[in-house]
Amino acid sequence: MKKTPILIIGSIALDTIETPKGNRSNLLGGSATYAMIAAKNKASVHISAVVGKDFPKQGHSVYEQYSDDLTDFITEDGPTFRWGGRYHENMDQRDTLFTELGVFQNFNPRLSELNRRVPYVFLANIHPQLQLSVIQQMENNPTVIVDTMNLWIETTKNDLLQVLKRTDILLINDSESELLTGDTDLQSSAEKIQAIGPKIVIIKRGSKGAAIFDGKDTFSVGVYPVSEIVDTTGAGDTFGGGFVASLAKGESLSDAVIYGSALASICVEGFGVERILKACDKDVEIRTEYLHQTG
Ligand code: AMP
């Protein structure tokens, strides 16, 4: 069966990560990278993103292998975006050590004719002005799925609100939804977000799973019990990529959340993308099955 195209826009990064399980530098990362790898099996993945001339060959070959359209993947003069993070003992919290924008600084996505017509757009974590620019270029009224982070809520809230007005589905952490609405109660926080624009709000709750608000019902999905968490970087982006690809394949909202959660549980078992690059169908199947049964 032909896979439905999805357009992913997000960051491509070289990450330096310190967790209680060890340190790594210059790992292939960024929100677009995790989302692309997670989406590969269920959708035809189109990418809009930028790297510098220093982006390693190995990174280029991951993009060549996991995406189906790189027309809007740009290589610019200058350094690739770099991000460093240090995790606390519980791995739920982290401090950003540095953010070096590099070629991101002047990134202005111009979509190809083909990408303007893709039916699903995943605006992974990236500056809301870039997310808005992509929405404005889209034709044929695609389904718009958005992820964000506390940084944008704190520093560019007005831009983010413009994005939310044109969003169909928002993926957000519990602490971020509280920051955005000032409401600690999940249900009323979700309702406040729905009043801005998104019909569906999915609140990610870390080790407590995810809560889904679709305007009619509220339901939740648990987490797969991972034996050793090594690095939680990119878990949210992996969730998002898997979720969007599943929706694009025509699967239900709850199946899509379960699929994203299963992939995220694999992501946290290794540093960076190492574990999800090696995930096999069986790994994913065992975890989706578990999540279906435990509801
Ligand atoms: P997550 O753990 O889901 O928040 O995603 C982590 C990924 O987001 C890392 O690979 C980073 O390179 C990337 N990242 C961190 N900060 C930013 C930022 N300000 N804009 C875009 N991507 C970022």
Side-chain angles (χ1 to χ4, degrees):
M1 201 175 83
K2 207 163 166 259
K3 290 178 185 167
T4 302
I6 63 175
L7 175 66
I8 295 176
I9 171 165
S11 57
I12 301 180
L14 297 174
D15 287 342
T16 295
I17 295 165
E18 298 177 19
T19 88
K21 306 289 175 183
N23 303 338
R24 296 287 186 279
S25 45
N26 291 321
L27 289 181
L28 173 63
S31 55
T33 306
Y34 287 97
M36 167 185 71
I37 296 167
K40 161 91 181 155
N41 279 348
K42 287 190 191 268
S44 166
V45 183
H46 296 217
I47 297 290
S48 168
V50 64
V51 295
K53 289 239 164 83
D54 59 350
F55 191 59
K57 249 195 181 140
Q58 191 202 353
H60 280 289
S61 63
V62 169
Y63 268 83
E64 273 150 28
Q65 199 186 333
Y66 282 81
S67 73
D68 298 277
D69 183 287
L70 288 174
T71 316
D72 293 325
F73 178 107
I74 300 164
T75 304
E76 291 280 12
D77 252 332
T80 298
F81 174 64
R82 281 178 165 75
W83 174 81
R86 180 186 292 139
Y87 287 82
H88 297 199
E89 201 53 46
N90 67 7
M91 217 84 96
D92 264 350
Q93 281 175 300
R94 73 180 177 208
D95 300 319
T96 291
L97 298 178
F98 58 87
T99 303
E100 295 168 5
L101 292 180
V103 291
F104 236 169
Q105 189 99 45
N106 299 315
F107 181 44
N108 180 17
R110 308 291 337 148
L111 299 181
S112 66
E113 283 299 317
L114 177 69
N115 281 337
R116 286 167 193 253
R117 297 189 178 149
V118 162
Y120 288 83
V121 191
F122 180 36
L123 304 171
N125 178 27
I126 199 171
H127 195 298
Q129 274 174 5
L130 299 183
Q131 294 181 320
L132 195 59
S133 154
V134 167
I135 295 174
Q136 284 164 345
Q137 292 174 60
M138 294 307 294
E139 296 165 10
N140 300 348
N141 203 16
T143 302
V144 177
I145 299 109
V146 171
D147 197 355
T148 190
M149 73 187 290
N150 51 359
L151 175 69
W152 311 126
I153 300 170
E154 279 159 359
T155 61
T156 57
K157 190 167 176 180
N158 281 340
D159 291 332
L160 181 61
L161 291 175
Q162 294 309 312
V163 172
L164 293 182
K165 277 188 193 159
R166 305 191 51 184
T167 297
D168 296 294
I169 305 177
L170 178 68
L171 314 178
I172 191 164
N173 288 339
D174 43 9
S175 59
E176 293 162 355
S177 81
E178 183 184 335
L179 190 63
L180 181 62
T181 63
D183 204 324
T184 51
D185 179 71
L186 289 188
Q187 173 92 38
S188 53
S189 185
E191 282 166 7
K192 283 183 181 157
I193 295 172
Q194 283 166 328
I196 305 169
K199 292 175 275 303
I200 298 172
V201 176
I202 297 179
I203 302 188
K204 297 173 282 179
R205 307 179 65 210
S207 54
K208 295 195 193 102
I212 300 111
F213 303 88
D214 70 359
K216 287 179 256 136
D217 299 317
T218 302
F219 53 100
S220 56
V221 168
V223 288
Y224 182 83
V226 171
S227 52
E228 192 192 24
I229 299 181
V230 172
D231 170 21
T232 56
T233 308
D237 311 312
T238 301
F239 172 89
F243 170 80
V244 176
S246 172
L247 271 193
K249 202 174 173 208
E251 294 171 355
S252 71
L253 192 57
S254 62
D255 282 354
V257 173
I258 284 178
Y259 186 66
S261 304
L263 287 165
S265 76
I266 296 175
C267 174
V268 302
E269 290 180 342
F271 279 101
V273 294
E274 68 183 11
R275 187 64 184 86
I276 43 167
L277 285 178
K278 291 191 202 127
C280 65
D281 292 349
K282 193 79 201 151
D283 289 334
V284 183
E285 199 185 306
I286 289 170
R287 291 169 197 232
T288 48
E289 197 53 39
Y290 174 92
L291 291 168
H292 273 293
Q293 274 161 19
T294 53

